[in-house]
Amino acid sequence: MASTLRRRGAPSSKQEETISEPSTSREDSPVKDGDKVKVVHHRPKQRKRKTTAIFLLGSLFGLVAAGFFAKSNDLIDFPEIGELSMSMDSLFDVLPAGLVKDMRELVNGERDFLESYDAFSVGIKVRSEGLSAYHPTVMVPGVISTGLESWGTSNISRPYFRKRLWGSWTMMRALVMDKEVWKRHIMLDKETGLDPPDIKLRAAQGFDATDFFITGYWIWNKIIENLASLGYDSTNSFTAAYDWRLAYPNLEKRDYYFTRLKAHIEMAVHLEQRKIVLTSHSMGSQVVFYFFHWVASDQGGKGGQDWVEKHIEAWINVSGCMLGAVKDIPALLSGEMRDTAQLNAFAVYGLEKFLSKEERTEIFRAMPGMSSMLPMGGNAIWGDIDWAPDDQPGQEHSFGSFLNFRTGQNWTIPNKNFTVDGAMEYLMKTSEPWYRRSIEGSYSQGVAKTTAEVEVNEKNPSKWINPLETRLPLAPNLKIYCFYGVGKPTERGYYYRTPDPSSGTSLNLTIDTGLMHGLVDHGVIMGEGDGTVNLMSTGYMCNHGWKMKRYNPAGVKVIVVEMPHEPERFNPRGGPNTADHVDILGRQNLNELILRIAAGKGDAIEDYVVSNIKEYAKKARVYEE
């Protein structure tokens, strides 16, 4: 990356108590009332990763699963290989023995690490300081985190009844051995955005819905373990799992998701006589923001403008893609992203064998919930052709030139480069009418310039997802904690070309994977972020946007703690100091901060910003009235 992270606003150690990672080498001092808290980050450690581990995950369901909101170094355990039976034999026929050997070595390394790590150490440390469960908690997972199970009873669905077709080995077996049936189940009806005829997939419920994506690959499990150490269980904590494929209006229309979430929160507050703490991750943060509007609106939950003030103590926003994710555009445009662009020829062959670019594009578009993460703010946030707020001194080409094309090819290739606004227009222009209707009726990506415009948008549900067009709730005592990773190269733009004639694809475009230069990695331009979501999305609203009166009229307090990416060299998931978009859920000091907020001691946490996000935010073309 052309830029380096700079420490900014670091608190003074003379005034504040230190939160450090749990350690057996020294005793930790308890944090007393009135003390302030900072997070101590260790110096980054260099590590070298084996790239062969991405083949299985990236080739089979990295595209439609962890490949979208995980990353290339994610590793799924392999303990239940027998369950796949003959399907895995066919898979191994196309995988070299060396690849399988490397995969198993990496799996063994992950298992050895887990066996040596005290999973409950953070909770035990916090509890030793006299803290315990206080506020009831609700956890809202991110995209792909929730397992989806079949409840259909038609002939096509009976073999999969009550089995997970997302987030289990059943998913993998179905994808390998029964791909067309799996596709029919996983895609929503293109016209209605709801269940296709004779198909019924529903989000799994309870902690089991989100603790592991698949056996051995944890998501929320570390947080659940540490909450349990503090005294939480199923009576005072709750996972609000949802079908992430659905457009947000259809979450309520089909599943009554927001109604049930409202009722659960009200019951928890009534039983505990304390307001709740909401913790969300990634897309879950967008769901929470939408819920804040829905619950207060006469068009939604009819709770009134003071509902959030009465029921929500704090919102912990972990790696929230508040302004979307730029990688959503190439995924919807050509079924690609960095994880696929980096694959070598053999891995591409394996990937195309199971899901072609056309199939991936079709699947992504038939999951309207994923399109909620199309980037918001347009050129004002993401830049013009020759300028972007996060451009670095001496940078050869601006990040604002988002989609870049080879010239002089044929009429199917645009004859100019596109900004984010231009890319959005091109996506809609080249998409099917059903997709355009679905997105334009559910979401909005603009910028409201006045308070009057913001207030009008409060009555328009299609605006509720966008924090640049709507406001925070009128809850002056609400506290928002933004915890997100920094320091990991993240997708910021793309180079495209015409597909090879021999590829057989009907798509007009493909990422120019042969291009490697400067910030360009296999045709993908790299910027700053957490490896999945760009820094402008995770950090803009928390550090700047919600300081504006029109977006935060009640003066809700927003605390930001950035977490530098400091992975352990030989740990496949990065270890206790990772800041990767998904693996951050296992980061020890993130878990500690969540526990302190749940225990009623969140007031001791102060801002800790190490990136240049405040400078970038000031350069963005979103102004005070």
Side-chain angles (χ1 to χ4, degrees), residues 13-323:
S13 60
K14 294 181 179 180
Q15 297 175 342
E16 298 164 344
E17 196 72 26
T18 299
I19 288 180
S20 60
E21 309 297 354
S23 172
T24 58
S25 61
R26 62 176 176 83
E27 295 182 359
D28 296 290
S29 301
V31 177
K32 302 179 181 63
D33 290 343
D35 288 342
K36 297 300 180 181
V37 171
K38 74 173 181 179
V39 183
V40 174
H41 302 280
H42 305 290
R43 291 182 180 276
K45 299 177 181 179
Q46 299 297 322
R47 67 171 171 176
K48 182 179 180 180
R49 293 183 180 271
K50 293 184 179 181
T51 58
T52 53
I54 63 177
F55 292 170
L56 182 62
L57 181 60
S59 297
L60 293 183
F61 38 76
L63 259 295
V64 193
F68 187 82
F69 260 83
K71 66 282 175 246
S72 60
N73 63 295
D74 287 344
L75 183 63
I76 289 178
D77 203 356
F78 232 32
E80 301 173 12
I81 200 72
E83 183 182 333
L84 299 183
S85 188
M86 294 176 60
S87 62
M88 291 310 301
D89 293 335
S90 64
L91 174 63
F92 287 143
D93 286 342
V94 298
L95 296 179
L99 167 62
V100 178
K101 180 176 180 291
D102 284 344
M103 282 289 298
R104 285 173 173 153
E105 286 179 355
L106 286 171
V107 168
N108 290 335
E110 171 77 346
R111 184 180 294 112
D112 291 343
F113 170 78
L114 290 175
E115 290 175 352
S116 66
Y117 170 63
D118 183 356
F120 305 95
S121 58
V122 175
I124 293 171
K125 173 184 181 292
V126 173
R127 189 168 184 172
S128 71
E129 299 174 6
L131 302 185
S132 60
Y134 188 78
H135 293 287
T137 66
V138 174
M139 293 168 279
V140 183
V143 66
I144 74 103
S145 297
T146 299
L148 302 178
E149 56 190 24
S150 175
W151 282 82
T153 57
S154 62
N155 289 337
I156 194 174
S157 297
R158 285 175 189 169
Y160 299 106
F161 183 73
R162 293 289 319 279
K163 295 181 180 179
R164 292 192 186 183
L165 289 176
W166 189 270
S168 73
W169 288 112
T170 300
M171 172 189 73
M172 189 171 183
R173 184 172 60 239
L175 177 57
V176 173
M177 302 297 291
D178 207 5
K179 184 178 73 171
E180 292 305 318
V181 170
W182 179 82
K183 284 175 56 182
R184 284 186 60 184
H185 280 80
I186 206 69
M187 292 192 299
L188 294 169
D189 185 275
K190 294 176 180 178
E191 293 296 333
T192 66
L194 300 170
D195 296 324
D198 300 324
I199 301 294
K200 189 176 183 181
L201 248 59
R202 293 295 182 268
Q205 297 299 310
F207 298 118
D208 288 344
T210 60
D211 54 354
F212 290 89
F213 172 69
I214 201 169
T215 305
Y217 185 83
W218 51 262
I219 303 289
W220 283 81
N221 186 58
K222 306 299 182 185
I223 292 175
I224 294 170
E225 288 173 340
N226 285 302
L227 284 170
S229 298
L230 208 62
Y232 284 95
D233 54 36
S234 58
T235 64
N236 55 3
S237 60
F238 172 71
T239 299
Y242 57 95
D243 187 341
W244 42 267
R245 301 173 304 155
L246 291 168
Y248 293 1
N250 284 339
L251 278 173
E252 178 64 19
K253 180 178 181 179
R254 195 195 74 177
D255 295 346
Y256 305 104
Y257 174 77
F258 297 114
T259 294
R260 291 187 292 112
L261 178 58
K262 175 177 180 281
H264 184 91
I265 291 172
E266 289 174 342
M267 179 181 293
V269 171
H270 173 72
L271 294 176
E272 299 286 337
Q273 292 298 298
R274 297 188 184 103
K275 294 193 286 186
I276 71 130
V277 169
L278 271 172
T279 303
S280 61
H281 174 247
S282 188
M283 177 182 174
S285 295
Q286 290 186 323
V287 173
V288 168
F289 189 74
Y290 185 96
F291 172 71
F292 284 160
H293 294 92
W294 177 92
V295 75
S297 172
D298 289 339
Q299 300 179 62
K302 299 179 174 62
Q305 294 299 324
D306 60 349
W307 189 93
V308 173
E309 175 72 8
K310 291 178 178 178
H311 294 87
I312 311 296
E313 171 69 19
W315 170 28
I316 305 174
N317 168 17
V318 180
S319 304
C321 48
M322 301 312 303
L323 298 184

Side-chain angles (χ1 to χ4, degrees), residues 273-534:
Q273 292 298 298
R274 297 188 184 103
K275 294 193 286 186
I276 71 130
V277 169
L278 271 172
T279 303
S280 61
H281 174 247
S282 188
M283 177 182 174
S285 295
Q286 290 186 323
V287 173
V288 168
F289 189 74
Y290 185 96
F291 172 71
F292 284 160
H293 294 92
W294 177 92
V295 75
S297 172
D298 289 339
Q299 300 179 62
K302 299 179 174 62
Q305 294 299 324
D306 60 349
W307 189 93
V308 173
E309 175 72 8
K310 291 178 178 178
H311 294 87
I312 311 296
E313 171 69 19
W315 170 28
I316 305 174
N317 168 17
V318 180
S319 304
C321 48
M322 301 312 303
L323 298 184
V326 297
K327 70 187 298 182
D328 214 14
I329 290 181
L332 293 162
L333 191 62
S334 61
E336 299 173 286
M337 60 202 73
R338 182 192 180 197
D339 301 271
T340 56
Q342 289 181 326
L343 298 178
N344 64 19
F346 175 80
V348 169
Y349 165 79
L351 178 60
E352 296 291 327
K353 179 179 176 65
F354 292 101
L355 289 171
S356 68
K357 290 185 178 70
E358 290 91 337
E359 288 177 310
R360 278 134 48 189
T361 302
E362 180 186 22
I363 291 171
F364 283 137
R365 293 182 184 181
M367 297 176 172
M370 298 183 73
S371 293
S372 69
M373 289 168 289
L374 286 166
M376 287 170 263
N379 293 2
I381 293 293
W382 303 103
D384 298 325
I385 284 292
D386 56 2
W387 166 89
D390 51 339
D391 283 343
Q392 304 300 310
Q395 188 170 314
E396 185 176 358
H397 300 290
S398 173
F399 287 137
S401 187
F402 178 64
L403 296 187
N404 303 276
F405 303 94
R406 288 189 183 186
T407 58
Q409 294 203 19
N410 57 49
W411 63 271
T412 64
I413 294 292
N415 58 10
K416 63 178 181 179
N417 296 337
F418 288 147
T419 63
V420 163
D421 274 345
M424 288 291 297
E425 292 175 6
Y426 182 76
L427 173 64
M428 294 301 161
K429 179 181 178 182
T430 57
S431 298
E432 302 88 341
W434 61 265
Y435 177 74
R436 290 197 298 272
R437 289 193 298 270
S438 172
I439 302 312
E440 291 170 355
S442 301
Y443 310 123
S444 178
Q445 294 86 29
V447 177
K449 298 179 180 179
T450 66
T451 298
E453 188 177 352
V454 167
E455 291 304 318
V456 169
N457 289 342
E458 292 298 314
K459 299 178 175 63
N460 184 349
S462 69
K463 307 286 187 179
W464 289 350
I465 190 177
N466 187 350
L468 289 170
E469 293 187 288
T470 55
R471 54 168 170 77
L472 288 172
L474 302 179
N477 291 306
L478 172 69
K479 291 170 282 292
I480 298 176
Y481 298 89
C482 295
F483 301 148
Y484 57 88
V486 295
K488 187 172 184 182
T490 305
E491 297 173 44
R492 186 63 176 84
Y494 305 87
Y495 282 87
Y496 270 91
R497 63 174 176 83
T498 303
D500 295 328
S502 61
S503 66
T505 180
S506 62
L507 297 174
N508 294 332
L509 302 172
T510 187
I511 292 178
D512 194 349
T513 57
L515 187 58
M516 299 280 291
H517 175 70
L519 298 176
V520 184
D521 179 8
H522 292 84
V524 181
I525 304 167
M526 305 306 293
E528 297 176 69
D530 63 7
T532 295
V533 179
N534 192 270

